[in-house]
């Protein structure tokens, strides 16, 4: 993954837009939400401009169990066109972007009492808004958007490009990022 700055001024990013590109040449336009320097290395948290979505499914014939995120590229390839048509019925356009699928368009109004909590791997549950459900070859799928911001951690390289952090790298800096985000939230409240 790499990025290219879309707006740069004297090495600084005013309304900092960057584009991440993956090996399949898919791109994802993001804004730089937070920047942190640690041990002479600059780290950034990126927020996709378009709305990120995740597709979940259930074990065959057992929709009473917890949903499972669809992460397999081949499965996404198979169901993508069906998911796209289902979302078009709600005036949303599904996009095959780098890192995560996204949609553009106006989200429907949602009721706070109808939020879905997805508990993945015994971590703290995340809240999602369900956008649509569909069947593909007798398998049920649901399309959700996370209600919390979907932040993407990256490192700024010496050449100015951004490199995504591995899970291990992010775990190392996560306490500092968490502290930075809490400080920013506290400052915004004042």
């Amino acid at each position: 993954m790499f990025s290219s700055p879309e707006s740069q001024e004297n090495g600084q990013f005013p309304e900092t837009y960057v584009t991440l590109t993956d090996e399949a040449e898919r791109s994802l336009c993001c804004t730089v939400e937070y920047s942190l320097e640690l041990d002479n290395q600059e780290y950034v948290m990126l927020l996709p401009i378009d709305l990120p979505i995740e597709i979940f499914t259930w074990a065959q014939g057992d929709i009473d169990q917890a949903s499972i995120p669809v992460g397999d590229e081949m499965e996404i390839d198979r169901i993508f066109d069906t998911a796209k048509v289902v979302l078009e019925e709600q005036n949303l356009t599904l996009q095959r972007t780098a890192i995560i699928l996204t949609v553009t368009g106006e989200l429907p109004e949602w009721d706070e009492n109808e939020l879905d909590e997805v508990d993945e791997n015994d971590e703290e549950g995340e809240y999602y808004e369900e956008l649509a459900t569909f069947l593909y070859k007798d398998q049920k799928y649901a399309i959700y958007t996370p209600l919390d911001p979907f932040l993407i951690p990256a490192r700024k390289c010496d050449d100015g490009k951004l490199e995504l952090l591995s899970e291990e790298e992010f775990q190392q800096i996560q306490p500092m990022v968490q502290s930075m985000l809490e400080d920013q939230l506290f400052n915004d409240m004042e």
Side-chain angles (χ1 to χ4, degrees):
M1 300 265 171
F2 65 92
S3 69
S4 61
E6 292 188 359
S7 170
Q8 189 174 17
E9 190 174 283
N10 297 332
Q12 299 298 314
F13 295 97
E15 172 65 59
T16 322
Y17 293 97
V18 296
T19 300
L20 298 173
T21 306
D22 65 12
E23 302 80 27
E25 298 299 317
R26 295 180 297 224
S27 61
L28 177 66
C29 191
C30 300
T31 59
V32 176
E33 291 296 301
Y34 304 100
S35 179
L36 166 73
E37 188 160 325
L38 181 65
D39 298 330
N40 295 324
Q41 181 65 59
E42 186 177 356
Y43 296 95
V44 293
M45 298 299 289
L46 307 173
L47 180 68
I49 290 176
D50 295 326
L51 192 66
I53 61 114
E54 293 185 55
I55 301 177
F56 290 85
T57 191
W58 291 263
Q60 192 69 26
D62 198 1
I63 61 171
D64 293 331
Q65 294 296 322
S67 57
I68 305 162
V70 176
D72 179 58
E73 290 289 322
M74 290 176 53
E75 186 172 5
I76 290 173
D77 287 341
R78 285 191 298 271
I79 64 173
F80 185 83
D81 289 339
T82 303
K84 187 172 184 162
V85 168
V86 168
L87 288 172
E88 283 173 353
E89 293 172 2
Q90 296 184 37
N91 295 320
L92 297 171
T93 303
L94 181 60
Q95 303 172 113
R96 192 73 189 264
T97 51
I99 302 169
I100 190 162
L101 297 171
T102 59
V103 295
T104 59
E106 193 82 25
L107 278 182
E109 293 290 322
W110 53 273
D111 181 355
E112 197 171 305
N113 297 324
E114 295 179 6
L115 297 181
D116 293 317
E117 183 175 351
V118 179
D119 185 14
E120 298 176 30
N121 304 325
D122 297 327
E123 295 175 9
E124 185 176 314
E126 296 179 314
Y127 288 96
Y128 289 81
E129 178 184 355
E130 183 180 290
L131 299 177
T133 59
F134 63 95
L135 288 175
Y136 180 82
K137 294 190 178 182
D138 297 327
Q139 178 70 35
K140 182 178 179 184
Y141 293 90
I143 304 169
Y144 291 92
T145 184
L147 294 179
D148 291 328
F150 183 82
L151 296 173
I152 303 166
R155 172 188 325 101
K156 189 172 183 182
C157 299
D158 292 336
D159 62 3
K161 291 186 178 182
L162 297 177
E163 182 178 282
L164 296 180
L165 296 183
S166 69
E167 186 68 32
E168 296 79 30
E169 291 172 307
F170 182 66
Q171 294 300 324
Q172 291 174 354
I173 68 162
Q174 187 173 14
M176 282 73 69
V177 170
Q178 187 70 29
S179 174
M180 178 191 66
L181 294 176
E182 288 170 1
D183 289 347
Q184 180 70 33
L185 180 62
F186 182 72
N187 290 338
D188 289 347
M189 291 173 56
E190 291 182 336

